[in-house]
Structure formats: C-alpha cells, structure tokens
C-alpha cells in the first residue's frame, strides 16, 4: 500500500528538514500548521514562503506536495501560560524546563493531525521532535510519541504511524541530512526561508539563517551549523 504522509510543518528548520525527508520517501505529502497565538506571527508567514520555494525549486517534490492545512489552536494560549504565547523573557523554571514549554502541545498537535489525516486518507504523521538536542520537553521524547502512535491508532481504529526522522540526530546531523536530501539548494532554502528564533528576529542574515543569535533556539541552530561546516570541511 502506498503510504501517504502528513507533516507537522511549522516553518522552522526541523520541520522543513522533515518535509524534505517525507517528500523524498512518500508519493503524496500534505502539511499541517497550527496557529496557537504564537508571540511572533513570522513563523506562520515563513511557512507559506518555504512551501512556495520548495515547489519552485524542486519540481519532482512539487508533484508530491499536496494541500497545506492551517488549524486554529488559539485555545492553547487560553489554557496554558508560556513564554511562547506571552511577552516574557525566556527563562528556566524550577523543574528544569524552559518557560517556552507548552504542556501537552505535541499531544494536542498529533491528535489534531490524526483527525485530519483520517479525513484525508493519510496514514503517516511526520514530526520534527528530537531527543538529542532537545530542550527537555517531555512530549518530544521517543517513548511519548510511540505511546501517542498506539493511542491514536487504537482510538481511531486505523493504523497510523508516527515518524520522527530527527529523533536521534544532532543539529549538525540535521544540516547534513538536509544537504543529502536536496543539496546546496535545499540548504540555502533552509538558511534563507525557515525560522527558528524564539524572539522573532529576522533583520540580519547569518550563515546559519535569520535570528537574534541569543535565544536557546538560535544558539542550537547556530552551533549545529558551525559543527556541520567544520565536519564537512575537507581535511587538509
Ligand atoms: Zn533567537
């Protein structure tokens, strides 16, 4: 049976790498994004541009890339208290988690994605969660997502697979994966069009992309890129 995928696509580096991974692997790929009252609308804007660039620059993938769905999850901002939806400085809480943590966010995202996938006849859900470089978010862990796959498959009485291609990769390896999937053109697309910065900064373009360079997301992206450049430089 041909597998048809739905990629959780935020417009960030990780979900763009996952989208390329899915386009390389599945004949039909759709995307889903969530509007949950993010502090910065830039994420929702760049995802449209990133999809357009993928379509323009990769004709073979364009044939596989189907509909994009944006779901209003503003309810998340109403029921949780987090630095992603409020204008407060990013800090670490007593429990060791950063205040960018939105409790249960990925569980909610996957449940919504599964409901949409059911309607659209898609049987693989793809997400960019990662345990290697992760910020300690418990809903990004491999076991959480395996349990979610089982719960959704049982609850919808359909076989759903959750794929997380970045789960065990470092950020440097994510850059390498992007390069392997789409070469320099895809790497450039990720640098110029995806957005990772928690502070929504898009003024200056660095070699690793746009961002403030200070927030945890920028630092991860920056150091991963530096590591990847170092590793790929030919030894002299
Ligand atoms: Zn930043």
């Amino acid at each position: 049976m041909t597998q048809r995928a739905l990629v959780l696509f935020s417009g960030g580096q990780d979900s763009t790498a996952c989208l390329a991974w899915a386009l390389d692997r599945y004949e039909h790929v759709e995307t889903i994004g969530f509007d949950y009252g993010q502090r910065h609308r830039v994420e929702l804007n760049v995802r449209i541009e990133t999809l357009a660039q993928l379509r323009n620059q990769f004709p073979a993938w364009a044939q596989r890339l189907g509909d994009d769905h944006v779901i209003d999850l503003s309810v998340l901002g109403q029921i949780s208290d987090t630095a992603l939806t409020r204008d407060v400085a990013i800090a670490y809480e007593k429990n060791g988690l950063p205040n960018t943590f939105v409790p249960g966010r990925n569980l909610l995202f996957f449940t919504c994605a599964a409901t949409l996938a059911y309607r659209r006849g898609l049987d693989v859900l793809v997400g960019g969660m990662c345990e290697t470089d992760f910020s300690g978010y418990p809903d990004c862990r491999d076991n959480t997502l395996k349990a979610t796959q089982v719960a959704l498959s049982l609850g919808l009485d359909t076989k759903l697979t959750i794929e997380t291609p970045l789960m065990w990769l470092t950020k440097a390896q994510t850059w390498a994966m992007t390069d392997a999937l789409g070469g320099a053109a895809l790497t450039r697309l990720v640098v110029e069009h995806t957005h990772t910065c928690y502070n929504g900064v898009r003024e200056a373009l660095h070699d690793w992309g746009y961002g403030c360079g200070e927030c945890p997301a920028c630092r991860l992206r920056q150091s991963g890129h530096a590591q990847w450049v170092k590793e790929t430089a030919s030894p002299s």
Side-chain angles (χ1 to χ4, degrees), residues 15-45:
S15 66
T16 301
C18 285
L19 179 54
W21 178 89
L23 287 166
D24 185 60
R25 192 181 181 102
Y26 304 111
E27 282 175 19
H28 181 80
V29 178
E30 300 188 10
T31 45
I32 184 170
F34 300 100
D35 182 352
Y36 56 96
Q38 290 94 322
R39 277 203 294 177
H40 305 290
R41 312 297 296 168
V42 56
E43 234 186 59
L44 289 169
N45 297 335

Side-chain angles (χ1 to χ4, degrees), residues 172 176 179 224-236:
D179 190 57
H225 186 267
Q227 184 68 30
W228 172 63
V229 168
K230 203 171 100 187
E231 281 166 7
T232 48
S234 51
S236 54

Side-chain angles (χ1 to χ4, degrees), residues 197-199 211-215 218:
C197 178
Y198 282 150
N199 291 318
C212 70
E214 302 292 331
C215 72
C218 275

Side-chain angles (χ1 to χ4, degrees), residues 47 77 114 124 168 179-180 182 211:
R47 65 189 296 289
V124 182
W168 308 110
D179 190 57

Side-chain angles (χ1 to χ4, degrees), residues 18-19 86-87 90 92 104 119 125 141 153 169 174 225:
C18 285
L19 179 54
R86 282 184 305 135
D87 196 13
I90 292 160
Y92 284 84
R119 169 161 69 82
L125 306 178
R141 290 178 191 150
S153 294
L169 300 189
T174 301
H225 186 267

